[in-house]
Amino acid sequence: MFNQFGSTADTLSKASAAVLRIGTDAHLYDDPEDVSIAPLLDSKFESEKCEALKRLLALIAQGFDVSNFFPQVVKNVASQSSEVKKLVYLYLLHYAEKRPNEALLSINYFQKDLGDPNPLVRAWALRTMAGIRLHVIAPLALAAVTKCARDPAVYVRKCAANALPKLNDLRLDEHAPAIEELVGILLNDLSPGVVGAAAAAFTSICPNNFELIGKNYKKLCEILPDVEEWGQILLIGSLLRYVVARHGLVRESLMLSLHGLESNGFCEKDGDKSDSFDANLVSLVSRCYIEGPDEYLSRSNNTVAASFDSKETTSVGDNEDVKILLQCTSPLLWSNNSAVVLAAAGVQWIMAPLEDVKKIVKPLLFLLRSSTASKYVVLCNILVFAKAVPSLFAPHFEDFFICSSDAYQVKAHKLEMLSLIATTSSISSILREFEDYIKDPDRIFAADTVAAIGLCAKRLPEIPTACLNGLLALVRQVDGEAGVLVQAVMSIQTIIEQDPLSHEKVIIQLFRSLDSVKVAAARASIIWMVGVYCSLGHIIPKMLTTITKYLAWSFKSEASETKLQVLNTTAKVLINAEVEDFQMLKKIVLYVLELGECDLNYDVRDRTRFLKKMLSYKLTCHEPADDSVASQENIAEHVVEHVFGRKLKPFSPLNLHNRFYLPGSLSQIVLHAAPGYEPLPKPCSFVFEEHDQLSDSDRKREATADLNGSHESSETVDEDGSSEYDSESYDGSEFSSDGDERNDANDAADPLIQISEVTVSTNQEELRSKMALDLWLDEESSTSNQTPSSLDTNQSSYAKISIGDIGSRVKPKSYTLLDPGNGSGLKIDYTFLSEVSTASPLHVCVEVLFQNSSTEPILEVNLEDEEAMKESDSAEQTLVGKANASYNNVPTLIPMEEISCIEPGQSAKRLIQVRFHHHLLPTRLSLHYNGKKVPVKLRPDLGYLVKPFSITIEEFLATESRLPGMFEYSRRCTFTDHVKDTRMENGKDKFLSICESITLKVLSNSNLHLVSVDLPVANTLEDATGLRLRFSSKILSSEIPLLITITVQGKCNEDLNLTVKINCEETVFGLNLLNRIANFLVEPSSSPS
């Protein structure tokens, strides 16, 4: 076509595809080359940045690794374009775990975006922060979620609920209570979308914390129909578990009905016996729902006698919670989502009264006709219902007829359903369907149909004759179809087992068809029946000699499984032989045993030897009751009776497929406990106190009180990630004249404690917390309503403790750079100094001690920067923030003066100035000595990456008030050094000793400025609670202020509980320094200070 224009079908299809791609981003997938991406990322036009980010995401979708663009992408997180922000966030989510250090650089931008006016930007920032699963930012992420949980935008609150499981996956136990509290807040939300996400978080984080459900139970039931479909599934499960845990099962429900259904109106009018109630199986199902199949079935006494206590049950008429649950789930039976229908049907199946269980039938049958993908799952659950109560689906047997388009698994389940719900009135229609199924080209499905016919005949004693005639005709007609033939024989065998004596002629017909049956498994089944029914009736015993001769004649040509069955059958026939046939049968058996001993199959040979030994007493005697072997016969006959007993054990349907799981669960499909599956809680295991169930207004007032910050809990971290502490406002100078007058009355020693006009205002603390809340929620501050007079009430005085000159007693900690074992006798230790570098603000002064522990002199010792000569943009260099932009040319290491020689046993000191590119990453240096070059790593100490910042207490408090919320974080630890202080035993001031111990510990591990030390005047002589030390500093690389407050709690002579709080805009640095301070405060000192 159109060949005259030079076009082909291939070119036309390509042209058509190109037209369809116009106006889309599909062209990005055609060019996997990323050569033009780097310039676009650095472009000043937002459209070009957006194009580059789209190309990167397209490469990620195609499986390319584009993590090398991470630094360039991270800097675009500050873009004002929402489209660029969204793409950057998607990129960061993908590579944050691979490049965690670089990802931390963007945390500050995420925090700023949390206050963006656009709710989409706030949601993207929260989702990305929660997706960066690093323990170091877990407190920040928790604070962000806490803020967004109260955001006015519904979408942001929903993202907060979705972020909670990600935080919980970090397994931080100290955050677990706060996370669960947030789940409760979100469950109380007014938006159905938020409630659905909160239900998912509840199921993932604390599925057994039923108190959260109990506080909002009625509200959750009312909002359930409006929740999104996948949230409805989880919420229905949580509500069901809560009702069972608090109230137990319903007495009128199916789970607790252990009698027939005739009195409950459950049976149909025709009174079919097949519609009877299977009490044993229902009891098994209910126990499996509560305890789990593994636990219940593992117990040896898994009998039906064990029933629920009456205290563990309730009634629908008396229980309002159960009634509300059933009412709110009933409309969901007709949901468009199949999983929602199954979840709602599960609630009705477990909790609804018997007369109301019928309402689940038609919705489930509708799913079979409406959704092809969910047919198999729905049928798996319907099978459980039908096994317990066949009458539920018996009138609707036509809905389970097979369609040609059904998958094989669906066909198999429908066959099982038809065999379960067949009644005397419907069996004729079902059998006619089965006749057509047997002709199906899928012979495996045809064989399953034959097996279903046998099950129907077993369940309905009125129809076995018609079924047997059809099955016998199959045995005679089918030739070469092993599956159908074997199932036909097994179905006949199942029918015969119910009443063997009345089916004697059927057994004889099977014996006569042996010659025409060629399938080994089918022949083995028929031969087995010869041995089992060899003494049945009057005709079969007379045929045994002829049948045994035939088996002996065909033994050589039989398959191995048939030979094994022939050996067993001949042994049974000989044991039950009549006197007149004994000699003939003995000769035949001996002949068969001789053939078996020479068989090629070792199983046949072993079975032959075993039977020959067992039947030795029969094979050696001439008469069945020979006196010479009477004693031996009694013993052997007893053994043979156990091995070849003619009594068959009754078949119990509970032995097969007796593992039941909650309806709609994955475990019910795979028939084992899938990961995350939990059975229903034990009935009435949860006691919910009514006084805990607050009204909505009470909860709002309580939440508002939490937000405003209570000054009473001064040592814990609140929901917003900030510690609740007592803020001080200083009026006057640090040293008051009152304090001097009081100290004049004491000894002539220098004053240690001075009483200052240091006051704490409760209202001012509330005001500050309110201002912080306003800042978080972008609300207008309400400080205009505060009057100066209202801030002067409820004040308490503080005493200022003067420590004096403590700098001379500070001993910085020493670290090992090189041990003598690796340095051929050269040992190098280094200590961080508090001196400020003269080279640049980025450098840290480090004192290095070189010691010669060998017997030979060490020559030409020097330290150099290993990467000074390399022109590579390492990942460490990209970590420098914008504040360092003006110092990019500053060298990493200021050249050190070389040490010409260190004699044995001698040492030498050098002062080096080092620039660390990141506060967590070591700097790589090269050590030169004796002509060798050894790489070493100089690790930074966070405490010395700051410099002292001298400020007054008023400036400290003013700066602290500007850094609330996410710029404030705290941690608790235990301090014990003061207990070892010998000066406390010599009558020295205990408070002064504690202050000196803490200050020495802090200043020996960090470069800080001590601002003030305060103690409440109202404290007793033994109580150090409220003692507070303040330190200030600035970060070297950015000149950003960093404030540290240490609050003491406890007795003077006991271990103290310290709360360390840091206020800083550089949140990542501040959090790492907080952990560093808490860790060295816990460490015991090597010697008393």
Side-chain angles (χ1 to χ4, degrees):
M1 183 180 181
F2 303 115
N3 289 332
Q4 63 273 24
F5 298 105
S7 61
T8 62
D10 186 29
T11 56
L12 288 174
S13 63
K14 290 181 179 179
S16 176
V19 171
L20 293 175
R21 292 152 62 94
I22 294 176
T24 68
D25 292 331
H27 65 281
L28 298 175
Y29 293 89
D30 298 334
D31 183 17
E33 299 297 332
D34 55 351
V35 292
S36 61
I37 292 180
L40 292 177
L41 288 173
D42 297 330
S43 173
K44 62 181 180 180
F45 300 106
E46 300 294 344
S47 59
E48 294 183 354
K49 293 181 180 179
C50 188
E51 178 73 12
L53 290 169
K54 288 181 178 180
R55 287 181 176 275
L56 286 178
L57 295 178
L59 290 170
I60 291 175
Q62 292 176 335
F64 290 92
D65 183 10
V66 291
S67 58
N68 55 312
F69 292 98
F70 200 95
Q72 293 175 282
V73 175
V74 167
K75 67 181 182 182
N76 285 310
V77 74
S79 174
Q80 300 300 319
S81 171
S82 60
E83 186 71 16
V84 173
K85 277 184 179 291
K86 178 173 66 173
L87 296 174
V88 170
Y89 286 153
L90 292 175
Y91 181 92
L92 289 178
L93 275 177
H94 190 77
Y95 284 114
E97 293 186 7
K98 293 183 180 179
R99 308 287 290 267
N101 294 321
E102 291 92 328
L104 292 178
L105 290 175
S106 56
I107 294 298
N108 288 335
Y109 292 105
F110 297 156
Q111 295 172 347
K112 293 178 181 178
D113 286 345
L114 289 174
D116 193 277
N118 189 345
L120 291 178
V121 175
R122 299 200 298 271
W124 295 337
L126 176 65
R127 185 174 61 179
T128 308
M129 183 179 289
I132 303 176
R133 305 189 182 188
L134 298 177
H135 288 77
V136 68
I137 67 168
L140 296 179
L142 180 59
V145 174
T146 305
K147 169 187 175 181
C148 294
R150 301 175 176 88
D151 195 277
V154 174
Y155 182 67
V156 178
R157 300 200 301 272
K158 181 179 178 181
C159 288
N162 291 330
L164 288 176
K166 299 177 183 178
L167 291 179
N168 187 66
D169 289 343
L170 295 176
R171 304 293 184 224
L172 298 177
D173 296 336
E174 63 269 20
H175 296 157
I179 293 176
E180 292 188 12
E181 186 176 357
L182 287 176
V183 172
I185 293 174
L186 293 169
L187 283 174
N188 192 32
D189 201 276
L190 299 177
S191 171
V194 178
V195 172
F202 174 83
T203 305
S204 174
I205 298 171
C206 49
N208 296 320
N209 190 356
F210 299 115
E211 186 176 355
L212 300 179
I213 299 293
K215 293 179 180 179
N216 311 292
Y217 176 76
K218 292 184 178 179
K219 179 179 177 182
L220 292 175
C221 289
E222 293 172 357
I223 205 172
L224 176 61
D226 299 324
V227 175
E228 60 181 353
E229 294 175 344
W230 298 111
Q232 286 177 343
I233 302 169
L234 299 173
L235 187 55
I236 288 173
S238 300
L239 294 175
L240 173 62
R241 292 172 58 82
Y242 165 77
V243 170
V244 173
R246 184 181 179 189
H247 304 292
L249 297 178
V250 177
R251 286 189 291 271
E252 302 91 346
S253 68
L254 186 66
M255 297 294 103
L256 296 183
S257 298
L258 301 181
H259 306 286
L261 301 175
E262 291 76 14
S263 61
N264 295 287
F266 219 88
C267 291
E268 300 296 328
K269 294 181 180 180
D270 54 6
D272 291 334
K273 294 182 180 180
S274 62
D275 289 340
S276 62
F277 179 73
D278 195 339
N280 292 345
L281 193 140
V282 169
S283 177
L284 174 62
V285 170
S286 60
R287 283 293 177 182
C288 287
Y289 286 169
I290 299 295
E291 302 178 21
D294 296 328
E295 180 180 351
Y296 177 65
L297 297 175
S298 62
R299 292 188 283 128
S300 57
N301 58 340
N302 54 343
T303 58
V304 184
S307 58
F308 293 98
D309 189 2
S310 59
K311 297 180 180 179
E312 300 176 351
T313 62
T314 184
S315 176
V316 176
D318 301 335
N319 195 304
E320 192 68 21
D321 286 350
V322 177
K323 188 181 299 183
I324 293 175
L325 178 62
L326 294 175
Q327 289 176 353
C328 70
T329 54
S330 294
L332 299 181
L333 291 172
W334 297 101
S335 173
N336 293 328
N337 191 303
S338 302
V340 176
V341 176
L342 281 178
V347 173
Q348 301 291 331
W349 169 256
I350 296 173
M351 302 298 293
L354 287 173
E355 59 272 12
D356 295 336
V357 176
K358 287 184 177 181
K359 65 173 65 175
I360 71 173
V361 175
K362 290 186 178 180
L364 292 176
L365 295 178
F366 181 76
L367 292 182
L368 295 179
R369 298 191 295 268
S370 60
S371 175
T372 304
S374 59
K375 277 185 181 180
Y376 177 75
V377 177
V378 175
L379 280 170
C380 288
N381 290 273
I382 290 178
L383 273 173
V384 178
F385 304 153
K387 287 177 181 178
V389 189
S391 60
L392 269 179
F393 299 92
H396 310 280
F397 64 92
E398 293 181 352
D399 290 280
F400 298 99
F401 284 169
I402 311 297
C403 299
S404 58
S405 59
D406 289 339
Y408 170 75
Q409 292 80 2
V410 174
K411 292 179 180 179
H413 278 347
K414 284 188 174 182
L415 284 176
E416 188 176 358
M417 276 295 302
L418 290 173
S419 62
L420 284 172
I421 65 177
T423 62
T424 53
S425 58
S426 62
I427 189 61
S428 57
S429 301
I430 293 175
L431 288 179
R432 284 195 298 270
E433 279 289 316
F434 285 171
E435 290 178 6
D436 293 334
Y437 300 161
I438 294 174
K439 303 173 184 177
D440 194 272
D442 185 358
R443 303 316 293 167
I444 298 178
F445 169 60
D448 293 340
T449 304
V450 175
I453 294 175
L455 292 177
C456 291
K458 183 178 179 180
R459 288 188 64 255
L460 302 174
E462 300 87 355
I463 62 162
T465 303
C467 293
L468 281 174
N469 293 334
L471 292 173
L472 288 173
L474 278 177
V475 172
R476 290 190 295 267
Q477 295 174 4
V478 177
D479 186 16
E481 296 184 8
V484 177
L485 184 58
V486 171
Q487 287 294 347
V489 174
M490 293 179 65
S491 298
I492 295 173
Q493 173 186 324
T494 303
I495 298 172
I496 293 174
E497 286 176 359
Q498 298 183 14
D499 189 6
L501 189 60
S502 62
H503 298 103
E504 183 180 5
K505 294 182 179 180
V506 177
I507 299 174
I508 294 173
Q509 292 185 47
L510 285 177
F511 294 168
R512 291 177 177 174
S513 63
L514 263 177
D515 195 29
S516 61
V517 176
K518 305 299 181 182
V519 180
R523 289 179 63 83
S525 297
I526 297 174
I527 295 171
W528 176 83
M529 284 189 279
V530 173
V532 172
Y533 303 117
C534 60
S535 59
L536 181 69
H538 302 286
I539 303 176
I540 294 178
K542 297 178 181 179
M543 300 173 58
L544 290 178
T545 304
T546 305
I547 296 174
T548 309
K549 287 181 180 180
Y550 171 76
L551 296 178
W553 172 78
S554 61
F555 186 84
K556 292 182 181 181
S557 59
E558 298 287 358
S560 297
E561 60 177 322
T562 309
K563 289 180 181 179
L564 293 173
Q565 203 55 251
V566 168
L567 290 172
N568 294 340
T569 298
T570 52
K572 294 176 183 179
V573 168
L574 181 62
I575 293 171
N576 297 282
E578 301 290 341
V579 177
E580 58 273 13
D581 299 329
F582 181 76
Q583 292 298 328
M584 178 60 66
L585 291 174
K586 186 175 72 171
K587 293 179 181 180
I588 297 173
V589 171
L590 285 171
Y591 175 73
V592 173
L593 293 176
E594 289 178 1
L595 293 176
E597 286 180 334
C598 302
D599 197 83
L600 297 177
N601 188 284
Y602 59 85
D603 287 331
V604 177
R605 295 197 300 271
D606 292 344
R607 181 71 61 85
T608 302
R609 297 189 189 100
F610 171 73
L611 293 175
K612 192 171 185 179
K613 190 66 176 177
M614 292 281 293
L615 301 174
S616 58
Y617 77 98
K618 285 286 187 181
L619 299 176
T620 55
C621 64
H622 299 286
E623 297 293 337
D626 195 343
D627 295 337
S628 62
V629 292
S631 59
Q632 181 185 3
E633 182 180 352
N634 292 335
I635 299 174
E637 188 173 357
H638 181 70
V639 175
V640 171
E641 180 65 25
H642 279 276
V643 178
F644 299 107
R646 294 189 300 272
K647 294 182 179 180
L648 298 176
K649 293 183 179 180
F651 175 77
S652 175
L654 294 182
N655 294 331
L656 298 176
H657 304 294
N658 52 2
R659 306 178 67 84
F660 299 102
Y661 297 87
L662 292 176
S665 64
L666 174 64
S667 302
Q668 183 58 48
I669 309 301
V670 297
L671 293 179
H672 65 79
Y677 174 81
E678 287 189 13
L680 291 176
K682 185 178 179 181
C684 299
S685 59
F686 170 66
V687 179
F688 183 74
E689 299 182 6
E690 294 295 336
H691 67 271
D692 290 337
Q693 190 168 2
L694 305 175
S695 63
D696 290 343
S697 60
D698 294 337
R699 281 196 292 270
K700 290 179 180 178
R701 286 195 297 270
E702 186 177 290
T704 304
D706 292 340
L707 285 174
N708 291 337
S710 174
H711 67 280
E712 297 177 356
S713 58
S714 61
E715 63 274 347
T716 59
V717 178
D718 64 4
E719 295 175 351
D720 292 328
S722 60
S723 64
E724 300 173 359
Y725 60 96
D726 297 337
S727 299
E728 296 85 358
S729 63
Y730 281 72
D731 296 333
S733 63
E734 297 180 6
F735 302 93
S736 67
S737 59
D738 295 339
D740 295 335
E741 293 174 1
R742 278 189 290 270
N743 283 297
D744 290 341
N746 296 331
D747 296 333
D750 293 338
L752 299 178
I753 303 179
Q754 302 176 356
I755 304 300
S756 307
E757 295 298 330
V758 181
T759 57
V760 178
S761 173
T762 304
N763 290 342
Q764 186 172 353
E765 169 64 19
E766 294 179 356
L767 172 62
R768 182 178 300 168
S769 298
K770 179 61 178 175
M771 292 171 61
L773 176 62
D774 294 339
L775 178 63
W776 272 74
L777 299 182
D778 294 329
E779 297 174 354
E780 295 183 358
S781 176
S782 59
T783 57
S784 58
N785 297 331
Q786 299 290 336
T787 60
S789 59
S790 65
L791 300 178
D792 297 332
T793 58
N794 298 328
Q795 296 181 345
S796 59
S797 297
Y798 269 71
K800 181 176 179 61
I801 298 179
S802 179
I803 296 179
D805 184 15
I806 201 172
S808 59
R809 296 158 55 189
V810 173
K811 297 180 180 180
K813 187 176 181 180
S814 179
Y815 302 91
T816 299
L817 183 64
L818 183 69
D819 59 82
N822 296 327
S824 301
L826 177 61
K827 180 182 179 183
I828 304 178
D829 295 331
Y830 64 96
T831 304
F832 288 91
L833 303 180
S834 58
E835 301 176 8
V836 178
S837 171
T838 57
S840 77
L842 300 179
H843 284 84
V844 180
C845 294
V846 182
E847 185 181 68
V848 185
L849 177 63
F850 300 86
Q851 295 179 339
N852 187 354
S853 303
S854 65
T855 58
E856 300 291 336
I858 300 177
L859 306 176
E860 299 177 351
V861 182
N862 195 10
L863 280 174
E864 295 181 357
D865 181 14
E866 188 181 60
E867 300 181 353
M869 305 303 295
K870 296 181 181 179
E871 298 179 356
S872 61
D873 295 331
S874 64
E876 298 172 355
Q877 294 170 345
T878 62
L879 294 176
V880 182
K882 290 185 176 180
N884 301 344
S886 60
Y887 302 102
N888 287 336
N889 297 324
V890 176
T892 299
L893 177 67
I894 303 298
M896 185 190 87
E897 181 183 354
E898 183 181 284
I899 303 175
S900 59
C901 179
I902 304 178
E903 297 295 336
Q906 298 298 317
S907 62
K909 290 184 179 179
R910 287 292 185 271
L911 179 66
I912 64 174
Q913 301 181 52
V914 186
R915 173 194 175 190
F916 293 97
H917 293 285
H918 191 264
H919 61 270
L920 296 179
L921 300 179
T923 296
R924 297 175 181 177
L925 303 177
S926 295
L927 173 65
H928 299 268
Y929 69 96
N930 291 339
K932 301 179 182 179
K933 178 181 176 182
V934 178
V936 293
K937 291 183 179 181
L938 186 67
R939 300 189 179 278
D941 189 336
L942 281 173
Y944 290 91
L945 297 184
V946 296
K947 62 181 180 180
F949 178 38
S950 179
I951 57 175
T952 64
I953 186 64
E954 291 83 0
E955 294 171 342
F956 184 98
L957 295 176
T959 306
E960 184 184 45
S961 64
R962 293 194 298 267
L963 298 173
M966 292 181 62
F967 301 127
E968 177 180 295
Y969 15 87
S970 62
R971 181 174 170 182
R972 301 181 64 180
C973 62
T974 303
F975 186 73
T976 58
D977 285 4
H978 68 289
V979 180
K980 305 176 184 178
D981 196 341
T982 56
R983 289 176 299 174
M984 295 181 64
E985 301 176 0
N986 297 331
K988 298 292 182 181
D989 185 84
K990 298 179 180 179
F991 296 119
L992 181 61
S993 177
I994 292 174
C995 294
E996 290 182 350
S997 299
I998 296 176
T999 304
L1000 280 175
K1001 196 65 171 289
V1002 172
L1003 297 183
S1004 297
N1005 291 271
S1006 56
N1007 193 15
L1008 305 174
H1009 169 70
L1010 177 62
V1011 178
S1012 67
V1013 181
D1014 302 323
L1015 175 70
V1017 175
N1019 280 22
T1020 62
L1021 294 178
E1022 299 295 331
D1023 188 10
T1025 301
L1027 181 64
R1028 182 169 301 155
L1029 297 89
R1030 295 183 176 88
F1031 301 87
S1032 61
S1033 63
K1034 283 187 177 181
I1035 301 175
L1036 286 178
S1037 61
S1038 59
E1039 294 290 327
I1040 294 178
L1042 187 146
L1043 309 180
I1044 301 174
T1045 306
I1046 300 179
T1047 307
V1048 181
Q1049 182 181 12
K1051 301 295 184 181
C1052 293
N1053 296 327
E1054 301 175 357
D1055 294 349
L1056 298 176
N1057 293 323
L1058 303 185
T1059 300
V1060 184
K1061 177 172 67 70
I1062 286 184
N1063 294 81
C1064 181
E1065 292 181 4
E1066 290 285 349
T1067 52
V1068 176
F1069 184 92
L1071 278 171
N1072 290 326
L1073 181 59
L1074 175 65
N1075 294 330
R1076 170 83 177 111
I1077 295 175
N1079 290 336
F1080 67 64
L1081 285 175
V1082 172
E1083 295 176 358
S1085 298
S1086 57
S1087 62
S1089 53

